[in-house]
Amino acid sequence: MNEITKYIEQLLASTSLTGGWLSFVTLSMLFATVALIAWLVYLLCIKIVSPLAARITSHTDVVWDDYLFNPQIIRAACNIVPAIIVWMLMPPIFSDHPIIQSLILKATAIYITIATMRLATTFISSLKLFDNDNDKRSATQQYLHSFCGVLKIIVLFLGVIIIISIIIDRSPLTLLAGLGATSAVLMLVFKDSITGLVAGIRLTSNNMVRKGDWITVSKAGANGTVEDITLSTVKVRNFDNTIVTVPPQKLIEDSFQNWHGMEESSGRRVTRTIYLDFRSITVASDELKKALAAEGLMKPEDMNGDVINLTLFRRYMERWLEQRDDVVTSSTYLMHLLDPTANGLPIEIYFFLKQKEWKAYEHHLAEIMEWTYALLPKFGLKIYQRI
């Protein structure tokens, strides 16, 4: 920089400028030179270094470098380089003007701090890209996702402390020590944020809910798929495509239903209750037995002796469920009686369907229940119905 200064002074010596004007023009030209150098270095990083790094990472066999050295991170790093050039070259120019020199140093230091914060937050955000292609997250991925949010808060907090320390010309450690006296006030002001932070960490670290899970939160009106989980919100897309944002502390404090276990199981449970008229439950007559045998619903040897029509119906339904391809026969399937009520005798049908997706599940369930309702009269049974 001294050689550049001497060259500019020799260049201006041949002009008619003297005194203050000579000093002003010299400083202006030196300032413009430093700005030009910083701009050229920035162009070098953006036009050459950035594409070169992208080309190198694209030709490697590993995947992690594509995320950690993506264009956003490289561009954020390139934004710091010009400020470092200014930090190194500019102060000697204004050595005779300490006030201007101090302002330039502070402004450059603040810019470097902000650019470094942006680089750090961009780098932390890139860690989330490792599971960006998955509709669902594992517990480890979700914990990493939440941990990235904590790191961002720490980076922003430290960045603000450093910027304040630069402005007031104090050590950052002094400011951090002084925060102990105001911690009670900060706890009161940021009570909700801290509560949400702790709840979000508990939610993800205990693997209570993950991205892609189907959850039901009745009090919040949420019944759909979890689209995103942060330290302050859980975003749920309902089946009507409305978005419900639930605070993590609500999921911790209140109960909610997670259908993840059902989706990973072999089938989805079905429980339906039918109320039968007591007056229709009788000993099967010979005519009823002949009619059932003629239609192939029951075998004659299964109806020997006195047998109740409801017993025949239960036997047939369990055998019929066992023969269906959409019922999980390895799980429990049965029809059993519940306690009698004033509205008839409740009989519950219990089984698991292989179809767990909502539309297919409802269609197969409706088909089975419609067939059940249609078969009841063939066994001489009637559904209790108030007239």
Short mmCIF file of all heavy atoms in Angstrom, two decimals, residues 38 47 53 62 66 110 122 132 136 163 191 199 217 234 252 259-260 264 274 280 308 317 319 327 358 368 372-373 385:
data_model
loop_
_atom_site.label_atom_id
_atom_site.label_comp_id
_atom_site.label_asym_id
_atom_site.label_seq_id
_atom_site.Cartn_x
_atom_site.Cartn_y
_atom_site.Cartn_z
N ALA A 38 -10.94 -4.34 -3.56
CA ALA A 38 -11.92 -5.18 -2.86
C ALA A 38 -12.97 -5.71 -3.85
O ALA A 38 -13.37 -6.88 -3.78
CB ALA A 38 -12.60 -4.38 -1.75
N LYS A 47 -16.80 -15.23 -9.58
CA LYS A 47 -16.74 -15.71 -10.96
C LYS A 47 -15.82 -16.92 -11.15
O LYS A 47 -16.01 -17.68 -12.10
CB LYS A 47 -16.26 -14.58 -11.88
CG LYS A 47 -17.17 -13.36 -11.88
CD LYS A 47 -18.56 -13.69 -12.42
CE LYS A 47 -19.43 -12.43 -12.49
NZ LYS A 47 -20.79 -12.75 -13.00
N ALA A 53 -15.39 -24.37 -7.11
CA ALA A 53 -15.76 -25.22 -5.97
C ALA A 53 -16.99 -26.06 -6.29
O ALA A 53 -17.06 -27.24 -5.91
CB ALA A 53 -16.02 -24.33 -4.74
N VAL A 62 -18.89 -38.51 -2.81
CA VAL A 62 -19.65 -38.28 -1.58
C VAL A 62 -20.73 -37.24 -1.83
O VAL A 62 -20.66 -36.44 -2.77
CB VAL A 62 -18.72 -37.84 -0.44
CG1 VAL A 62 -17.77 -38.95 -0.08
CG2 VAL A 62 -17.95 -36.57 -0.82
N ASP A 66 -21.74 -31.65 -1.37
CA ASP A 66 -22.70 -30.90 -2.17
C ASP A 66 -23.58 -30.02 -1.30
O ASP A 66 -24.07 -28.97 -1.74
CB ASP A 66 -23.59 -31.87 -2.97
CG ASP A 66 -22.78 -32.67 -3.97
OD1 ASP A 66 -21.73 -32.17 -4.41
OD2 ASP A 66 -23.19 -33.80 -4.30
N ILE A 110 -18.14 -4.32 12.04
CA ILE A 110 -19.56 -4.66 12.14
C ILE A 110 -20.01 -5.44 10.90
O ILE A 110 -20.73 -6.43 10.99
CB ILE A 110 -20.41 -3.38 12.33
CG1 ILE A 110 -20.14 -2.78 13.71
CG2 ILE A 110 -21.89 -3.69 12.17
CD1 ILE A 110 -20.80 -1.44 13.93
N THR A 122 -26.15 -19.77 7.35
CA THR A 122 -26.30 -20.49 6.08
C THR A 122 -25.71 -21.88 6.17
O THR A 122 -26.28 -22.86 5.67
CB THR A 122 -25.64 -19.71 4.94
OG1 THR A 122 -26.17 -18.38 4.89
CG2 THR A 122 -25.90 -20.38 3.60
N ASN A 132 -33.65 -33.35 3.41
CA ASN A 132 -34.64 -32.55 2.69
C ASN A 132 -35.42 -33.37 1.68
O ASN A 132 -36.55 -33.05 1.33
CB ASN A 132 -33.95 -31.38 1.98
CG ASN A 132 -34.92 -30.35 1.44
OD1 ASN A 132 -35.85 -29.96 2.14
ND2 ASN A 132 -34.72 -29.92 0.22
N LYS A 136 -40.28 -38.13 5.47
CA LYS A 136 -40.31 -38.37 6.91
C LYS A 136 -38.90 -38.26 7.45
O LYS A 136 -37.93 -38.47 6.74
CB LYS A 136 -40.88 -39.76 7.22
CG LYS A 136 -42.32 -39.92 6.76
CD LYS A 136 -42.85 -41.26 7.17
CE LYS A 136 -44.29 -41.40 6.68
NZ LYS A 136 -45.20 -41.79 7.67
N ILE A 163 -21.40 -7.05 18.07
CA ILE A 163 -21.70 -5.77 17.41
C ILE A 163 -21.84 -4.66 18.43
O ILE A 163 -21.30 -3.56 18.26
CB ILE A 163 -22.97 -5.90 16.56
CG1 ILE A 163 -22.70 -6.80 15.34
CG2 ILE A 163 -23.45 -4.53 16.08
CD1 ILE A 163 -23.93 -7.10 14.52
N LYS A 191 -40.13 -15.20 28.16
CA LYS A 191 -40.68 -16.39 28.81
C LYS A 191 -41.27 -17.36 27.79
O LYS A 191 -40.98 -18.55 27.80
CB LYS A 191 -41.74 -15.97 29.82
CG LYS A 191 -42.44 -17.15 30.48
CD LYS A 191 -43.55 -16.69 31.41
CE LYS A 191 -44.31 -17.89 31.97
NZ LYS A 191 -45.43 -17.45 32.84
N ALA A 199 -39.70 -26.86 25.11
CA ALA A 199 -40.70 -27.84 24.67
C ALA A 199 -40.30 -28.46 23.34
O ALA A 199 -40.49 -29.67 23.13
CB ALA A 199 -42.06 -27.16 24.55
N VAL A 217 -54.62 -33.30 17.00
CA VAL A 217 -54.64 -32.45 18.19
C VAL A 217 -56.02 -31.81 18.23
O VAL A 217 -56.27 -30.80 17.56
CB VAL A 217 -53.54 -31.38 18.16
CG1 VAL A 217 -53.45 -30.66 19.50
CG2 VAL A 217 -52.19 -31.99 17.81
N VAL A 234 -45.01 -26.17 15.35
CA VAL A 234 -45.21 -27.44 14.65
C VAL A 234 -46.28 -27.18 13.60
O VAL A 234 -47.42 -26.89 13.93
CB VAL A 234 -45.65 -28.57 15.60
CG1 VAL A 234 -45.91 -29.85 14.83
CG2 VAL A 234 -44.59 -28.80 16.67
N ILE A 252 -46.71 -30.77 24.50
CA ILE A 252 -46.10 -31.32 25.72
C ILE A 252 -47.10 -31.30 26.87
O ILE A 252 -47.23 -32.28 27.62
CB ILE A 252 -44.83 -30.52 26.10
CG1 ILE A 252 -43.74 -30.69 25.04
CG2 ILE A 252 -44.32 -30.95 27.47
CD1 ILE A 252 -43.19 -32.09 24.93
N TRP A 259 -50.40 -41.13 14.80
CA TRP A 259 -50.77 -42.34 14.09
C TRP A 259 -49.55 -43.05 13.49
O TRP A 259 -49.71 -43.95 12.64
CB TRP A 259 -51.76 -42.00 12.97
CG TRP A 259 -53.05 -41.42 13.47
CD1 TRP A 259 -53.28 -40.11 13.77
CD2 TRP A 259 -54.26 -42.12 13.73
NE1 TRP A 259 -54.56 -39.94 14.21
CE2 TRP A 259 -55.20 -41.17 14.19
CE3 TRP A 259 -54.65 -43.45 13.62
CZ2 TRP A 259 -56.49 -41.51 14.54
CZ3 TRP A 259 -55.94 -43.79 13.97
CH2 TRP A 259 -56.86 -42.83 14.42
N HIS A 260 -48.37 -42.66 13.91
CA HIS A 260 -47.15 -43.25 13.33
C HIS A 260 -47.08 -44.75 13.59
O HIS A 260 -46.70 -45.53 12.70
CB HIS A 260 -45.93 -42.54 13.92
CG HIS A 260 -44.62 -43.10 13.42
ND1 HIS A 260 -44.16 -42.91 12.15
CD2 HIS A 260 -43.68 -43.86 14.05
CE1 HIS A 260 -43.00 -43.52 12.00
NE2 HIS A 260 -42.69 -44.10 13.13
N GLU A 264 -46.90 -47.88 10.73
CA GLU A 264 -45.82 -48.85 10.65
C GLU A 264 -46.28 -50.28 10.94
O GLU A 264 -45.53 -51.22 10.70
CB GLU A 264 -44.71 -48.48 11.64
CG GLU A 264 -43.91 -47.24 11.23
CD GLU A 264 -42.69 -47.05 12.10
OE1 GLU A 264 -42.67 -47.62 13.22
OE2 GLU A 264 -41.76 -46.35 11.66
N ILE A 274 -72.88 -52.49 16.43
CA ILE A 274 -74.22 -52.61 15.87
C ILE A 274 -75.17 -52.92 17.03
O ILE A 274 -74.90 -53.82 17.85
CB ILE A 274 -74.29 -53.72 14.81
CG1 ILE A 274 -73.26 -53.48 13.71
CG2 ILE A 274 -75.69 -53.83 14.22
CD1 ILE A 274 -73.13 -54.63 12.74
N SER A 280 -85.44 -59.88 18.19
CA SER A 280 -85.08 -60.66 17.00
C SER A 280 -84.10 -61.79 17.31
O SER A 280 -83.79 -62.60 16.43
CB SER A 280 -84.47 -59.74 15.94
OG SER A 280 -83.22 -59.21 16.38
N ILE A 308 -78.63 -70.52 18.56
CA ILE A 308 -79.17 -69.16 18.47
C ILE A 308 -78.78 -68.54 17.14
O ILE A 308 -77.66 -68.72 16.66
CB ILE A 308 -78.68 -68.30 19.65
CG1 ILE A 308 -78.94 -69.02 20.98
CG2 ILE A 308 -79.34 -66.94 19.65
CD1 ILE A 308 -80.40 -69.33 21.23
N MET A 317 -69.64 -64.40 10.32
CA MET A 317 -68.89 -63.16 10.12
C MET A 317 -67.41 -63.37 10.39
O MET A 317 -66.56 -62.86 9.64
CB MET A 317 -69.44 -62.05 11.01
CG MET A 317 -70.79 -61.51 10.57
SD MET A 317 -70.76 -60.83 8.88
CE MET A 317 -69.49 -59.61 9.01
N ARG A 319 -65.77 -66.21 10.09
CA ARG A 319 -65.24 -67.02 8.99
C ARG A 319 -65.14 -66.20 7.71
O ARG A 319 -64.19 -66.33 6.94
CB ARG A 319 -66.13 -68.24 8.78
CG ARG A 319 -65.55 -69.23 7.76
CD ARG A 319 -66.30 -70.55 7.75
NE ARG A 319 -67.68 -70.38 7.35
CZ ARG A 319 -68.72 -70.55 8.17
NH1 ARG A 319 -68.51 -70.90 9.43
NH2 ARG A 319 -69.95 -70.38 7.75
N VAL A 327 -58.31 -58.11 5.00
CA VAL A 327 -58.29 -58.20 6.46
C VAL A 327 -56.99 -58.88 6.90
O VAL A 327 -56.57 -59.88 6.32
CB VAL A 327 -59.50 -58.98 6.99
CG1 VAL A 327 -59.41 -59.17 8.50
CG2 VAL A 327 -60.79 -58.26 6.63
N TRP A 358 -56.20 -43.29 3.89
CA TRP A 358 -57.53 -42.86 4.33
C TRP A 358 -58.64 -43.30 3.37
O TRP A 358 -59.62 -43.94 3.75
CB TRP A 358 -57.54 -41.34 4.49
CG TRP A 358 -58.79 -40.82 5.15
CD1 TRP A 358 -59.71 -41.53 5.85
CD2 TRP A 358 -59.24 -39.47 5.15
NE1 TRP A 358 -60.70 -40.71 6.31
CE2 TRP A 358 -60.45 -39.45 5.88
CE3 TRP A 358 -58.75 -38.29 4.61
CZ2 TRP A 358 -61.17 -38.27 6.08
CZ3 TRP A 358 -59.46 -37.11 4.82
CH2 TRP A 358 -60.66 -37.10 5.54
N ILE A 368 -67.36 -53.70 3.95
CA ILE A 368 -67.57 -54.75 4.96
C ILE A 368 -68.81 -54.47 5.80
O ILE A 368 -69.64 -55.37 6.05
CB ILE A 368 -66.32 -54.87 5.85
CG1 ILE A 368 -65.15 -55.44 5.04
CG2 ILE A 368 -66.59 -55.76 7.07
CD1 ILE A 368 -63.84 -55.49 5.79
N THR A 372 -72.35 -56.47 6.13
CA THR A 372 -72.81 -56.92 7.45
C THR A 372 -74.27 -56.53 7.67
O THR A 372 -75.09 -57.35 8.12
CB THR A 372 -71.94 -56.31 8.55
OG1 THR A 372 -70.57 -56.68 8.33
CG2 THR A 372 -72.37 -56.80 9.92
N TYR A 373 -74.61 -55.28 7.36
CA TYR A 373 -75.99 -54.82 7.53
C TYR A 373 -76.95 -55.61 6.64
O TYR A 373 -78.08 -55.93 7.04
CB TYR A 373 -76.10 -53.34 7.21
CG TYR A 373 -75.28 -52.44 8.12
CD1 TYR A 373 -74.62 -51.32 7.62
CD2 TYR A 373 -75.16 -52.72 9.48
CE1 TYR A 373 -73.87 -50.50 8.44
CE2 TYR A 373 -74.41 -51.92 10.31
CZ TYR A 373 -73.76 -50.81 9.78
OH TYR A 373 -73.01 -50.01 10.60
N GLN A 385 -83.88 -49.75 16.10
CA GLN A 385 -84.08 -48.42 15.53
C GLN A 385 -85.36 -47.83 16.09
O GLN A 385 -86.43 -48.43 16.01
CB GLN A 385 -84.16 -48.51 14.00
CG GLN A 385 -84.31 -47.17 13.31
CD GLN A 385 -84.31 -47.30 11.80
OE1 GLN A 385 -83.87 -48.32 11.26
NE2 GLN A 385 -84.77 -46.28 11.12
#
